[in-house]
Amino acid sequence: MDDARTRASGGTSAGDGSDGSDGSDAGYGSDGGAAPEAAGASEGLRERKKRRTRQHLSDVATGLFLERGFDAVTIAEIAEAADVSVNTVYNYFPAKEDLFLDRAPDLADRLAGWVRGRLPGESAARAVLRHLRSEVEAVSPRVGLTEGYDRFLVVVEDAAGLRARLWLLDQEMFTRLERALREETGAGPRDRLPALMAGQIDWVHRTVMGVIRCGLIEGGSPEAVSREALDALDDMEELLGERVLNYAVRTTG
């Protein structure tokens, strides 16, 4: 499996979001499976075999996609390369997109998790800004800042099916963020403010990820792209009004 995909996978062992972590990296591929020690302690032989088979299929498929492009590779070719039947591939991955974006579902709770895990006295928007700035400053693979991740991004850019799948992921991320804001503030079902605030916060996240994506595809180093993303974060924080920056502040009591 390509090292960049292993380390860069929006997209991160999965956490529950209680500490503000989404438990997933920015990349959308596999995380290489759970750590052997942790997995061995909690799963039986059957579960371990399934996990390894799933990982093997994802690794083989990813290698083919990176080499030839997503649309040029068939499920039959993946099955042959992995030495399994086509039915086995479909048993683990219902759609071809799932083989390449197998970590994507983990990212759906990223923004909602950061909001729910905000610090006492911290607003929803400032919590998201803090987490994003921390990841970008660290040149973290959790936001795609890793050598070689541009290859993964190029595959996505060249495949309409992958772009469509990620668009749906973005919509789900927004929906969960809005729900979290509504629950955290006690807003009623007809109150439009949580949706408006979710739109502003989601805009920040999408824009930063877009800066990272474009910077890497254009050949920028992770460190250089990190600096560009930090500048964008500073600009956006200035553009956000006080009403957004002070919405859903967690009480200190």
Side-chain angles (χ1 to χ4, degrees):
M1 180 178 182
D2 183 82
D3 181 61
R5 178 182 179 248
T6 305
R7 292 183 287 116
S9 156
T12 169
S13 69
D16 60 8
S18 61
D19 62 351
S21 168
D22 67 323
S24 59
D25 299 325
Y28 304 102
S30 169
D31 63 350
E37 305 86 0
S42 61
E43 66 183 3
L45 180 60
R46 181 180 178 85
E47 290 75 17
R48 189 180 307 119
K49 183 178 180 180
K50 286 184 176 180
R51 174 173 58 82
R52 289 174 176 171
T53 298
R54 178 182 176 85
Q55 188 60 52
H56 174 61
L57 292 173
S58 179
D59 290 349
V60 169
T62 297
L64 292 173
F65 295 148
L66 290 172
E67 178 183 354
R68 296 166 49 193
F70 182 78
D71 292 332
V73 178
T74 67
I75 292 293
E77 289 172 326
I78 294 169
E80 181 179 2
D83 196 25
V84 300
S85 69
V86 169
N87 284 341
T88 296
V89 177
Y90 279 120
N91 284 340
Y92 284 90
F93 298 95
K96 190 167 76 166
E97 290 79 6
D98 297 323
L99 282 155
F100 198 61
L101 303 175
D102 54 325
R103 296 294 312 283
D106 296 341
L107 291 173
D109 277 325
R110 164 174 281 179
L111 298 180
W114 285 348
V115 167
R116 294 185 191 280
R118 66 197 185 284
L119 303 173
E122 186 175 47
S123 70
R126 291 193 188 279
V128 171
L129 286 166
R130 172 172 59 85
H131 279 285
L132 277 174
R133 187 168 281 111
S134 175
E135 296 286 2
V136 173
E137 285 179 342
V139 194
S140 171
R142 289 169 58 88
V143 288
L145 291 169
T146 187
E147 291 290 346
Y149 194 59
D150 57 303
R151 295 180 60 207
F152 181 94
L153 295 172
V154 168
V155 173
V156 173
E157 290 292 316
D158 290 343
L162 293 176
R163 295 198 307 273
R165 177 66 68 87
L166 292 182
W167 183 87
L168 291 174
L169 172 65
D170 284 339
Q171 301 311 300
E172 181 63 22
M173 190 180 297
F174 171 84
T175 298
R176 296 189 187 190
L177 172 61
E178 179 189 352
R179 184 185 306 131
L181 290 172
R182 197 170 294 281
E183 292 172 355
E184 292 289 304
T185 61
R190 296 182 63 83
D191 188 342
R192 67 172 64 92
L193 199 54
L196 295 175
M197 294 297 178
Q200 295 293 299
I201 295 171
D202 183 60
W203 165 69
V204 171
H205 180 260
R206 288 198 198 199
T207 301
V208 170
M209 298 310 298
V211 169
I212 292 172
R213 180 179 66 253
C214 292
L216 292 176
I217 289 177
E218 291 171 359
S221 68
E223 293 76 17
V225 174
S226 169
R227 292 190 291 271
E228 292 179 18
L230 287 172
D231 287 343
L233 270 172
D234 289 342
D235 290 341
M236 285 185 287
E237 186 168 4
E238 289 183 5
L239 290 171
L240 293 175
E242 289 301 311
R243 192 174 182 188
V244 176
L245 291 172
N246 293 317
Y247 181 74
V249 174
R250 168 150 289 165
T251 58
T252 57

